[in-house]
Amino acid sequence: MNQRTQTSLKISILCLIGFFFLVLVLDTDFMVQFDYFVLESVASIRADWITTIMAAFAFIGSVSVVIVLAIIMIVIFLILKTPQKEIFFTTATLATTGLLNTVVKQIIARLRPEDFMMVDLSSYSFPSGHTMGAMSFYTVLTFFIWKRVDSFQVRVGVLLFAVVMILGMGFSRIYLGVHYATDVFGGFLLSVAIIAFYYWFFQARLIKD
């Protein structure tokens, strides 16, 4: 096992530890004050043009759109005869992201910040599904393109696009008042743990090119 795959496993474990720690401190006075401070600060900058952009992020990150994008990605992988381990890596990452988000939401059962909500949602809040979906999808997409394109400019462009989509998705959830900041942080941590674990598993252990 090379150093890169060993590092990915360590990252997965560290993110899981961070995630469980966050779960333990969610209801502490400090974190509650922090969450409301962030919500109030973001709500103070609301404007029609920003709301339009944030609503677009919400649409792109919706379950139906993410499923369609994921199917398109996997079909393209099959057409391009992508190595099996990359197809399994992609499928496992995206499927686990959706499954774990649903399961953890039900276990934690955290209510949304109703006083700030600009969108009507009835599901639980922690962790943010849009954030997890964006982190997993755009990271996998960047990984796939990065391996196949040598151009520095293209690589940087794809990386910047992924960063904007991931951070924009997370920010949009707070802006629209449907998630606390800790929901977004929790989504980031859990998704990175999933991505790093499957990278370690499929790249180093299960299937060889």
PDB file of all heavy atoms in Angstrom, residues 16 29 33 46 64 69 73 100 115-116 119 124 130-131 141 144 158-159 163 173 191 194 203 205-206 209:
ATOM      1  N   LEU A  16     -14.071  11.075  10.534  1.00  0.00           N
ATOM      2  CA  LEU A  16     -15.098  10.382  11.310  1.00  0.00           C
ATOM      3  C   LEU A  16     -15.035  10.780  12.783  1.00  0.00           C
ATOM      4  O   LEU A  16     -16.069  11.000  13.422  1.00  0.00           O
ATOM      5  CB  LEU A  16     -14.934   8.865  11.177  1.00  0.00           C
ATOM      6  CG  LEU A  16     -15.662   8.184  10.021  1.00  0.00           C
ATOM      7  CD1 LEU A  16     -15.386   6.689  10.050  1.00  0.00           C
ATOM      8  CD2 LEU A  16     -17.158   8.461  10.048  1.00  0.00           C
ATOM      9  N   ASP A  29     -24.125  24.856  24.808  1.00  0.00           N
ATOM     10  CA  ASP A  29     -24.437  26.285  24.720  1.00  0.00           C
ATOM     11  C   ASP A  29     -23.558  26.987  23.690  1.00  0.00           C
ATOM     12  O   ASP A  29     -24.040  27.827  22.914  1.00  0.00           O
ATOM     13  CB  ASP A  29     -24.253  26.953  26.087  1.00  0.00           C
ATOM     14  CG  ASP A  29     -25.329  26.531  27.075  1.00  0.00           C
ATOM     15  OD1 ASP A  29     -26.384  26.043  26.615  1.00  0.00           O
ATOM     16  OD2 ASP A  29     -25.123  26.690  28.285  1.00  0.00           O
ATOM     17  N   GLN A  33     -25.064  28.827  20.360  1.00  0.00           N
ATOM     18  CA  GLN A  33     -24.813  30.262  20.160  1.00  0.00           C
ATOM     19  C   GLN A  33     -24.083  30.509  18.851  1.00  0.00           C
ATOM     20  O   GLN A  33     -24.383  31.464  18.119  1.00  0.00           O
ATOM     21  CB  GLN A  33     -24.017  30.820  21.337  1.00  0.00           C
ATOM     22  CG  GLN A  33     -24.804  30.886  22.637  1.00  0.00           C
ATOM     23  CD  GLN A  33     -23.955  31.324  23.814  1.00  0.00           C
ATOM     24  OE1 GLN A  33     -22.844  31.834  23.642  1.00  0.00           O
ATOM     25  NE2 GLN A  33     -24.458  31.124  25.023  1.00  0.00           N
ATOM     26  N   ARG A  46     -29.084  39.179   3.270  1.00  0.00           N
ATOM     27  CA  ARG A  46     -30.011  38.699   2.252  1.00  0.00           C
ATOM     28  C   ARG A  46     -30.420  39.812   1.294  1.00  0.00           C
ATOM     29  O   ARG A  46     -30.707  40.929   1.700  1.00  0.00           O
ATOM     30  CB  ARG A  46     -31.250  38.096   2.904  1.00  0.00           C
ATOM     31  CG  ARG A  46     -31.015  36.713   3.505  1.00  0.00           C
ATOM     32  CD  ARG A  46     -32.237  36.214   4.248  1.00  0.00           C
ATOM     33  NE  ARG A  46     -32.044  34.850   4.753  1.00  0.00           N
ATOM     34  CZ  ARG A  46     -32.866  34.241   5.594  1.00  0.00           C
ATOM     35  NH1 ARG A  46     -33.957  34.884   6.029  1.00  0.00           N
ATOM     36  NH2 ARG A  46     -32.612  33.011   6.006  1.00  0.00           N
ATOM     37  N   SER A  64     -33.257  14.814  -6.867  1.00  0.00           N
ATOM     38  CA  SER A  64     -33.548  14.375  -8.232  1.00  0.00           C
ATOM     39  C   SER A  64     -32.444  14.779  -9.206  1.00  0.00           C
ATOM     40  O   SER A  64     -32.033  13.985 -10.060  1.00  0.00           O
ATOM     41  CB  SER A  64     -34.897  14.938  -8.699  1.00  0.00           C
ATOM     42  OG  SER A  64     -34.904  16.352  -8.588  1.00  0.00           O
ATOM     43  N   LEU A  69     -27.515  13.495 -12.435  1.00  0.00           N
ATOM     44  CA  LEU A  69     -26.111  13.782 -12.722  1.00  0.00           C
ATOM     45  C   LEU A  69     -25.234  12.560 -12.443  1.00  0.00           C
ATOM     46  O   LEU A  69     -24.304  12.269 -13.197  1.00  0.00           O
ATOM     47  CB  LEU A  69     -25.630  14.970 -11.885  1.00  0.00           C
ATOM     48  CG  LEU A  69     -26.209  16.335 -12.240  1.00  0.00           C
ATOM     49  CD1 LEU A  69     -25.719  17.400 -11.249  1.00  0.00           C
ATOM     50  CD2 LEU A  69     -25.824  16.736 -13.660  1.00  0.00           C
ATOM     51  N   MET A  73     -22.968  10.535 -15.104  1.00  0.00           N
ATOM     52  CA  MET A  73     -21.540  10.332 -14.876  1.00  0.00           C
ATOM     53  C   MET A  73     -21.159   8.869 -15.027  1.00  0.00           C
ATOM     54  O   MET A  73     -20.179   8.536 -15.711  1.00  0.00           O
ATOM     55  CB  MET A  73     -21.153  10.821 -13.476  1.00  0.00           C
ATOM     56  CG  MET A  73     -19.662  10.656 -13.165  1.00  0.00           C
ATOM     57  SD  MET A  73     -19.255  10.942 -11.416  1.00  0.00           S
ATOM     58  CE  MET A  73     -19.563  12.691 -11.291  1.00  0.00           C
ATOM     59  N   LEU A 100     -26.152   7.159   4.054  1.00  0.00           N
ATOM     60  CA  LEU A 100     -25.734   7.608   5.381  1.00  0.00           C
ATOM     61  C   LEU A 100     -26.407   8.915   5.781  1.00  0.00           C
ATOM     62  O   LEU A 100     -26.749   9.105   6.946  1.00  0.00           O
ATOM     63  CB  LEU A 100     -24.210   7.781   5.424  1.00  0.00           C
ATOM     64  CG  LEU A 100     -23.395   6.554   5.816  1.00  0.00           C
ATOM     65  CD1 LEU A 100     -21.928   6.917   5.973  1.00  0.00           C
ATOM     66  CD2 LEU A 100     -23.909   5.931   7.096  1.00  0.00           C
ATOM     67  N   ASP A 115     -37.198  29.561  12.360  1.00  0.00           N
ATOM     68  CA  ASP A 115     -37.312  31.016  12.367  1.00  0.00           C
ATOM     69  C   ASP A 115     -36.551  31.674  11.212  1.00  0.00           C
ATOM     70  O   ASP A 115     -36.771  32.846  10.907  1.00  0.00           O
ATOM     71  CB  ASP A 115     -36.780  31.591  13.694  1.00  0.00           C
ATOM     72  CG  ASP A 115     -37.661  31.200  14.866  1.00  0.00           C
ATOM     73  OD1 ASP A 115     -38.820  30.815  14.629  1.00  0.00           O
ATOM     74  OD2 ASP A 115     -37.186  31.279  16.016  1.00  0.00           O
ATOM     75  N   PHE A 116     -35.656  30.934  10.578  1.00  0.00           N
ATOM     76  CA  PHE A 116     -34.827  31.501   9.504  1.00  0.00           C
ATOM     77  C   PHE A 116     -35.153  30.936   8.131  1.00  0.00           C
ATOM     78  O   PHE A 116     -34.628  31.400   7.126  1.00  0.00           O
ATOM     79  CB  PHE A 116     -33.340  31.230   9.801  1.00  0.00           C
ATOM     80  CG  PHE A 116     -32.819  31.943  11.011  1.00  0.00           C
ATOM     81  CD1 PHE A 116     -32.927  31.371  12.268  1.00  0.00           C
ATOM     82  CD2 PHE A 116     -32.222  33.199  10.898  1.00  0.00           C
ATOM     83  CE1 PHE A 116     -32.448  32.036  13.398  1.00  0.00           C
ATOM     84  CE2 PHE A 116     -31.747  33.861  12.014  1.00  0.00           C
ATOM     85  CZ  PHE A 116     -31.853  33.279  13.268  1.00  0.00           C
ATOM     86  N   VAL A 119     -37.349  28.410   2.795  1.00  0.00           N
ATOM     87  CA  VAL A 119     -37.891  27.299   2.009  1.00  0.00           C
ATOM     88  C   VAL A 119     -38.595  26.349   2.974  1.00  0.00           C
ATOM     89  O   VAL A 119     -38.100  26.093   4.064  1.00  0.00           O
ATOM     90  CB  VAL A 119     -36.774  26.542   1.257  1.00  0.00           C
ATOM     91  CG1 VAL A 119     -37.355  25.399   0.437  1.00  0.00           C
ATOM     92  CG2 VAL A 119     -35.980  27.493   0.378  1.00  0.00           C
ATOM     93  N   TYR A 124     -35.396  16.249   8.632  1.00  0.00           N
ATOM     94  CA  TYR A 124     -34.471  16.655   9.685  1.00  0.00           C
ATOM     95  C   TYR A 124     -33.267  17.390   9.099  1.00  0.00           C
ATOM     96  O   TYR A 124     -33.032  17.370   7.886  1.00  0.00           O
ATOM     97  CB  TYR A 124     -34.025  15.443  10.494  1.00  0.00           C
ATOM     98  CG  TYR A 124     -35.125  14.861  11.356  1.00  0.00           C
ATOM     99  CD1 TYR A 124     -35.500  13.519  11.236  1.00  0.00           C
ATOM    100  CD2 TYR A 124     -35.789  15.642  12.294  1.00  0.00           C
ATOM    101  CE1 TYR A 124     -36.507  12.977  12.037  1.00  0.00           C
ATOM    102  CE2 TYR A 124     -36.788  15.121  13.096  1.00  0.00           C
ATOM    103  CZ  TYR A 124     -37.140  13.790  12.964  1.00  0.00           C
ATOM    104  OH  TYR A 124     -38.142  13.257  13.759  1.00  0.00           O
ATOM    105  N   HIS A 130     -27.593  18.355   0.924  1.00  0.00           N
ATOM    106  CA  HIS A 130     -27.070  19.080  -0.234  1.00  0.00           C
ATOM    107  C   HIS A 130     -25.549  19.197  -0.142  1.00  0.00           C
ATOM    108  O   HIS A 130     -24.842  19.034  -1.146  1.00  0.00           O
ATOM    109  CB  HIS A 130     -27.683  20.479  -0.305  1.00  0.00           C
ATOM    110  CG  HIS A 130     -29.048  20.527  -0.929  1.00  0.00           C
ATOM    111  ND1 HIS A 130     -30.147  19.926  -0.371  1.00  0.00           N
ATOM    112  CD2 HIS A 130     -29.483  21.132  -2.077  1.00  0.00           C
ATOM    113  CE1 HIS A 130     -31.211  20.158  -1.135  1.00  0.00           C
ATOM    114  NE2 HIS A 130     -30.834  20.869  -2.189  1.00  0.00           N
ATOM    115  N   THR A 131     -25.058  19.500   1.053  1.00  0.00           N
ATOM    116  CA  THR A 131     -23.623  19.645   1.243  1.00  0.00           C
ATOM    117  C   THR A 131     -22.906  18.326   0.999  1.00  0.00           C
ATOM    118  O   THR A 131     -21.877  18.275   0.312  1.00  0.00           O
ATOM    119  CB  THR A 131     -23.314  20.142   2.672  1.00  0.00           C
ATOM    120  OG1 THR A 131     -23.964  21.400   2.871  1.00  0.00           O
ATOM    121  CG2 THR A 131     -21.820  20.301   2.887  1.00  0.00           C
ATOM    122  N   LEU A 141     -15.949  13.832  -9.495  1.00  0.00           N
ATOM    123  CA  LEU A 141     -15.812  14.392 -10.840  1.00  0.00           C
ATOM    124  C   LEU A 141     -14.416  14.970 -11.047  1.00  0.00           C
ATOM    125  O   LEU A 141     -13.772  14.746 -12.091  1.00  0.00           O
ATOM    126  CB  LEU A 141     -16.869  15.477 -11.056  1.00  0.00           C
ATOM    127  CG  LEU A 141     -16.858  16.170 -12.419  1.00  0.00           C
ATOM    128  CD1 LEU A 141     -17.185  15.172 -13.525  1.00  0.00           C
ATOM    129  CD2 LEU A 141     -17.864  17.330 -12.435  1.00  0.00           C
ATOM    130  N   PHE A 144     -11.821  12.194 -11.390  1.00  0.00           N
ATOM    131  CA  PHE A 144     -11.894  11.537 -12.695  1.00  0.00           C
ATOM    132  C   PHE A 144     -11.205  12.385 -13.774  1.00  0.00           C
ATOM    133  O   PHE A 144     -10.412  11.869 -14.572  1.00  0.00           O
ATOM    134  CB  PHE A 144     -13.357  11.298 -13.072  1.00  0.00           C
ATOM    135  CG  PHE A 144     -13.545  10.677 -14.429  1.00  0.00           C
ATOM    136  CD1 PHE A 144     -13.358   9.310 -14.605  1.00  0.00           C
ATOM    137  CD2 PHE A 144     -13.909  11.450 -15.516  1.00  0.00           C
ATOM    138  CE1 PHE A 144     -13.528   8.730 -15.858  1.00  0.00           C
ATOM    139  CE2 PHE A 144     -14.082  10.877 -16.765  1.00  0.00           C
ATOM    140  CZ  PHE A 144     -13.893   9.520 -16.942  1.00  0.00           C
ATOM    141  N   VAL A 158     -11.018  23.027 -13.211  1.00  0.00           N
ATOM    142  CA  VAL A 158     -11.952  22.015 -12.673  1.00  0.00           C
ATOM    143  C   VAL A 158     -11.945  22.054 -11.152  1.00  0.00           C
ATOM    144  O   VAL A 158     -13.006  21.976 -10.509  1.00  0.00           O
ATOM    145  CB  VAL A 158     -11.567  20.610 -13.182  1.00  0.00           C
ATOM    146  CG1 VAL A 158     -12.380  19.539 -12.453  1.00  0.00           C
ATOM    147  CG2 VAL A 158     -11.791  20.519 -14.677  1.00  0.00           C
ATOM    148  N   LEU A 159     -10.764  22.177 -10.568  1.00  0.00           N
ATOM    149  CA  LEU A 159     -10.655  22.224  -9.107  1.00  0.00           C
ATOM    150  C   LEU A 159     -11.377  23.440  -8.542  1.00  0.00           C
ATOM    151  O   LEU A 159     -12.125  23.334  -7.555  1.00  0.00           O
ATOM    152  CB  LEU A 159      -9.187  22.244  -8.687  1.00  0.00           C
ATOM    153  CG  LEU A 159      -8.904  22.257  -7.183  1.00  0.00           C
ATOM    154  CD1 LEU A 159      -9.476  21.016  -6.515  1.00  0.00           C
ATOM    155  CD2 LEU A 159      -7.401  22.358  -6.925  1.00  0.00           C
ATOM    156  N   VAL A 163     -14.606  23.528  -6.031  1.00  0.00           N
ATOM    157  CA  VAL A 163     -14.565  24.263  -4.757  1.00  0.00           C
ATOM    158  C   VAL A 163     -15.730  25.246  -4.664  1.00  0.00           C
ATOM    159  O   VAL A 163     -16.398  25.348  -3.620  1.00  0.00           O
ATOM    160  CB  VAL A 163     -13.223  25.001  -4.589  1.00  0.00           C
ATOM    161  CG1 VAL A 163     -13.279  25.962  -3.408  1.00  0.00           C
ATOM    162  CG2 VAL A 163     -12.083  24.002  -4.399  1.00  0.00           C
ATOM    163  N   ARG A 173     -27.223  26.660   1.987  1.00  0.00           N
ATOM    164  CA  ARG A 173     -28.105  26.027   2.960  1.00  0.00           C
ATOM    165  C   ARG A 173     -28.286  26.900   4.200  1.00  0.00           C
ATOM    166  O   ARG A 173     -29.361  26.959   4.794  1.00  0.00           O
ATOM    167  CB  ARG A 173     -27.572  24.647   3.373  1.00  0.00           C
ATOM    168  CG  ARG A 173     -27.223  23.724   2.236  1.00  0.00           C
ATOM    169  CD  ARG A 173     -28.269  23.724   1.148  1.00  0.00           C
ATOM    170  NE  ARG A 173     -29.492  23.036   1.538  1.00  0.00           N
ATOM    171  CZ  ARG A 173     -30.673  23.221   0.942  1.00  0.00           C
ATOM    172  NH1 ARG A 173     -30.816  24.114  -0.023  1.00  0.00           N
ATOM    173  NH2 ARG A 173     -31.722  22.548   1.344  1.00  0.00           N
ATOM    174  N   SER A 191     -18.877  13.356   4.427  1.00  0.00           N
ATOM    175  CA  SER A 191     -18.612  13.066   3.018  1.00  0.00           C
ATOM    176  C   SER A 191     -17.126  12.831   2.756  1.00  0.00           C
ATOM    177  O   SER A 191     -16.759  11.919   2.010  1.00  0.00           O
ATOM    178  CB  SER A 191     -19.112  14.203   2.124  1.00  0.00           C
ATOM    179  OG  SER A 191     -20.475  14.045   1.829  1.00  0.00           O
ATOM    180  N   ILE A 194     -16.256   9.411   3.818  1.00  0.00           N
ATOM    181  CA  ILE A 194     -16.718   8.406   2.850  1.00  0.00           C
ATOM    182  C   ILE A 194     -15.793   8.363   1.642  1.00  0.00           C
ATOM    183  O   ILE A 194     -15.342   7.292   1.211  1.00  0.00           O
ATOM    184  CB  ILE A 194     -18.163   8.718   2.403  1.00  0.00           C
ATOM    185  CG1 ILE A 194     -19.141   8.554   3.563  1.00  0.00           C
ATOM    186  CG2 ILE A 194     -18.570   7.807   1.233  1.00  0.00           C
ATOM    187  CD1 ILE A 194     -20.519   9.129   3.289  1.00  0.00           C
ATOM    188  N   GLN A 203      -8.744   1.863  -4.460  1.00  0.00           N
ATOM    189  CA  GLN A 203      -7.473   2.113  -5.121  1.00  0.00           C
ATOM    190  C   GLN A 203      -6.375   1.178  -4.628  1.00  0.00           C
ATOM    191  O   GLN A 203      -5.476   0.826  -5.376  1.00  0.00           O
ATOM    192  CB  GLN A 203      -7.034   3.567  -4.903  1.00  0.00           C
ATOM    193  CG  GLN A 203      -7.956   4.607  -5.539  1.00  0.00           C
ATOM    194  CD  GLN A 203      -7.981   4.496  -7.065  1.00  0.00           C
ATOM    195  OE1 GLN A 203      -6.953   4.335  -7.695  1.00  0.00           O
ATOM    196  NE2 GLN A 203      -9.151   4.595  -7.653  1.00  0.00           N
ATOM    197  N   ARG A 205      -6.882  -1.842  -2.422  1.00  0.00           N
ATOM    198  CA  ARG A 205      -7.171  -3.180  -1.903  1.00  0.00           C
ATOM    199  C   ARG A 205      -7.937  -4.090  -2.840  1.00  0.00           C
ATOM    200  O   ARG A 205      -7.556  -5.242  -3.031  1.00  0.00           O
ATOM    201  CB  ARG A 205      -7.980  -3.058  -0.594  1.00  0.00           C
ATOM    202  CG  ARG A 205      -7.199  -2.503   0.570  1.00  0.00           C
ATOM    203  CD  ARG A 205      -8.129  -2.195   1.733  1.00  0.00           C
ATOM    204  NE  ARG A 205      -8.976  -3.327   2.044  1.00  0.00           N
ATOM    205  CZ  ARG A 205      -8.639  -4.325   2.863  1.00  0.00           C
ATOM    206  NH1 ARG A 205      -7.461  -4.327   3.435  1.00  0.00           N
ATOM    207  NH2 ARG A 205      -9.468  -5.312   3.116  1.00  0.00           N
ATOM    208  N   LEU A 206      -9.001  -3.586  -3.435  1.00  0.00           N
ATOM    209  CA  LEU A 206      -9.960  -4.519  -4.016  1.00  0.00           C
ATOM    210  C   LEU A 206      -9.646  -4.933  -5.457  1.00  0.00           C
ATOM    211  O   LEU A 206      -9.585  -6.102  -5.790  1.00  0.00           O
ATOM    212  CB  LEU A 206     -11.364  -3.912  -3.954  1.00  0.00           C
ATOM    213  CG  LEU A 206     -12.505  -4.833  -4.382  1.00  0.00           C
ATOM    214  CD1 LEU A 206     -12.533  -6.073  -3.501  1.00  0.00           C
ATOM    215  CD2 LEU A 206     -13.825  -4.126  -4.327  1.00  0.00           C
ATOM    216  N   ASP A 209      -5.910  -2.269 -11.789  1.00  0.00           N
ATOM    217  CA  ASP A 209      -6.105  -1.992 -13.212  1.00  0.00           C
ATOM    218  C   ASP A 209      -5.636  -3.174 -14.058  1.00  0.00           C
ATOM    219  O   ASP A 209      -4.659  -3.806 -13.732  1.00  0.00           O
ATOM    220  CB  ASP A 209      -5.317  -0.737 -13.624  1.00  0.00           C
ATOM    221  CG  ASP A 209      -6.041   0.519 -13.149  1.00  0.00           C
ATOM    222  OD1 ASP A 209      -7.288   0.509 -13.085  1.00  0.00           O
ATOM    223  OD2 ASP A 209      -5.359   1.492 -12.871  1.00  0.00           O
TER     224      ASP A 209
END
